[in-house]
Amino acid sequence: MEWGCIKCGEEIPQDREFCTGCEEIQFRKIGGLLYIPFVGLIISAISYLLNINESFKAIIENYRSIDINAKVFFISSLTIYVVMFLFAAFILSQFLKRKKLLPNLYISFLIAIIITLSINTYTLYVLIPGVKIGYDELVPIFRSLISALIWIPYFTVSVRVKRTFIK
């Protein structure tokens, strides 16, 4: 039985899907499951922009009426959101350029999200007395943790990732 490239039909070994020429074209672009983290990065960047806006608005509107601990919390949150937005924008640019560094950057981004959400929740609890940490504060951390548990292994072992970014 002969095996052929699924694009052009050229004879290829049994363990491959594409011939060398078609494989180069196929993996030159983002495809497969890589669309999900790409869209996730776009949503994250937009989310951080909205959080920057909300934090800045809260600081401006309430600066004189809140105590120093609340000011520290809002300013630290704003700083975290700005840094994470810039990090997401940088990773998006690397994603589009299909840079070799992208898998490590994306894994770092997932870990940074968990760390910054945890730090932000902890500083909220410590700096603002009477605030109770509940469902609304903890669910984003667990959601990010589950996401990291899915995407970190994918970015470390996926053939698609290796062929698209590492070459």
Side-chain angles (χ1 to χ4, degrees):
M1 174 187 254
E2 291 184 21
W3 293 94
C5 173
I6 61 175
K7 271 285 206 219
C8 68
E10 182 181 320
E11 190 174 330
I12 57 172
Q14 182 177 355
D15 63 330
R16 298 185 61 195
E17 292 181 69
F18 301 101
C19 66
T20 306
C22 293
E23 185 174 84
E24 180 63 31
I25 293 168
Q26 183 68 17
F27 290 108
R28 200 178 302 157
K29 58 186 176 191
I30 296 168
L33 290 176
L34 287 175
Y35 282 117
I36 297 171
F38 181 71
V39 170
L41 274 170
I42 293 170
I43 292 170
S44 292
I46 291 169
S47 174
Y48 283 119
L49 271 178
L50 294 173
N51 288 336
I52 289 168
N53 183 44
E54 288 177 23
S55 293
F56 190 69
K57 184 178 176 184
I59 291 170
I60 296 300
E61 290 177 352
N62 303 308
Y63 192 77
R64 293 180 191 255
S65 63
I66 57 177
D67 67 347
I68 188 70
N69 288 340
K71 289 176 186 175
V72 168
F73 170 73
F74 284 117
I75 291 171
S76 67
S77 293
L78 180 64
T79 304
I80 287 171
Y81 297 146
V82 168
V83 169
M84 290 302 289
F85 169 74
L86 293 173
F87 194 23
F90 176 69
I91 293 172
L92 271 170
S93 73
Q94 299 302 299
F95 212 113
L96 291 172
K97 294 176 186 175
R98 294 180 323 281
K99 293 292 186 173
K100 186 176 184 177
L101 190 60
L102 185 275
N104 292 334
L105 283 174
Y106 190 74
I107 290 169
S108 300
F109 181 69
L110 293 174
I111 293 168
I113 289 173
I114 296 168
I115 291 170
T116 56
L117 283 172
S118 300
I119 289 171
N120 210 22
T121 302
Y122 180 73
T123 56
L124 174 67
Y125 176 74
V126 169
L127 293 177
I128 302 180
V131 170
K132 295 195 185 324
I133 303 300
Y135 180 83
D136 291 336
E137 293 79 23
L138 295 177
V139 166
I141 297 170
F142 290 117
R143 189 179 302 132
S144 298
L145 186 61
I146 290 169
S147 178
L149 290 173
I150 293 168
W151 291 111
I152 290 174
Y154 179 77
F155 271 80
T156 55
V157 300
S158 169
V159 173
R160 176 69 155 179
V161 170
K162 285 179 178 65
R163 288 184 178 169
T164 303
F165 298 106
I166 297 175
K167 297 183 173 104

